[in-house]
Amino acid sequence: MIEIAVLGFGTVGSGVVELIDNNQEWIRRSVPEGIHVKYILDIREFPNSPYADRVVHNIDLITEDPEVKIVCETMGGKEPAFTFSRKALESGKSVCTSNKELVEALGTELMLTAKQNGMSYLFEASVGGGIPILRPLRNSLVQEEITTIGGILNGTTNYILTKMEQEGAAFDDVLKIAQEKGYAERNPEADVEGYDCGRKIAILASLATGRKADYDEIPCEGITKIAAPDFAYAKAIGRAVKLLGIARKLGDGSWSVRTAPFLVPKEHPLYPVSGVFNAVFVHGTMVDDLMFYGRGAGKNPTASAVVSDVVELAMHIGVPLRSAWNEEKLTLANSDLECHRFYIRAAAEKAPALQAAFSSLEQIDLGGQGGPETAAFVTDEISERTFAQCLGEIEVQNVIRLL
Ligand code: HSE
């Protein structure tokens, strides 16, 4: 048996332990000796759990046990996850994680620690929940120059937007359901303000380019300004509202990376992706367009992605796997120069001011159903800077970019 330890017995950690037990038969096709969870580290006790006897509270028990070969970090947050992961790597154990916050902020350092100690650091579950996306990027697509990557990267917000659009549900009610279903972060602000999506697109851009994209430099907007009329106006122009994280290589070699709600057209493969599902769109210069689709959050899909790393690590004991990116920083483009068409929703009385400010505005017609008090428009393709200059001090209710 290959012995492993799981750090954190929350939604994902408990899913990992259960999956390893339940799917042992399938795991043994790749790891014939089998995989066994020897320790579960948590500050809590779980007296009613069938795994109660494996729960420990001291990381040293794990790092000092030479039988433990792999550590799964499913604690979330930067600390103590970082310290525990580093300690595990320094103690000769490979580590895998679902912790996107840690991977984005300190993954470079942990990959270096892994390399220095002949170990590996993997994080398939940090992006796209159950979707296999990092492994294809590390393996199947190594020969490709990737020029676009991104898509719907947060299950909670896609679930909220879908329920608001299809059922007219209220934002707070749907968020509560997403929390109950185990989709949302402990602090759901990370989901709804776009931070989680921002971290995931930073990880994807880093993997695609081999250089570290800095999350703090990525413009980030969430979905808290989206309201019922936005769905109606979007539908009237054949589009749906989706929170996207997108990274694109520009002509000068720099990368444009952004997290924001977009109006996605019907013809685009991301348009029908609804509910908790995520989809990652990739363009490679040779392979052309690819899309990876699956459940972006939830206990079992995320646990499945974590265990895929455990199995890969178990198949490579003593063989360190290549780091996903190096320490070089990815240069991001000046986001002010990025061009889009913009949707603007405003009080009807602002319409003359908007029409005077923008040289060309197309009004969205809801056939009289939008009510007399609101108006919505779409601009021509203009830069972020020009848009901000034209809008000036005019007060609007919402602005969304068109994909
Ligand atoms: N809160 C995250 C989401 C969990 O909703 O996508 C998966 O990373």
Side-chain angles (χ1 to χ4, degrees), residues 100 125-126 153-157 183-185 191 196 200 278 296-297 302:
K100 51 259 160 149
S126 65
L153 305 178
N154 181 272
T156 303
T157 47
Y183 301 158
E185 297 302 299
D191 296 297
D196 179 78
K200 289 167 176 169
N278 282 192
T302 312

Side-chain angles (χ1 to χ4, degrees), residues 187-219:
N187 177 2
E189 199 189 14
D191 296 297
V192 299
E193 296 294 355
Y195 311 149
D196 179 78
C197 181
R199 291 188 179 109
K200 289 167 176 169
I201 193 61
I203 293 172
L204 287 179
S206 306
L207 258 154
T209 62
R211 284 166 286 158
K212 180 68 182 70
D214 196 344
Y215 162 72
D216 295 327
E217 291 178 6
I218 299 174

Side-chain angles (χ1 to χ4, degrees), residues 289-309:
D289 291 342
L290 299 166
M291 198 161 90
F292 299 81
Y293 170 85
R295 285 186 186 272
K299 176 174 170 167
N300 290 336
T302 312
S304 176
V306 175
V307 178
S308 77
D309 281 346

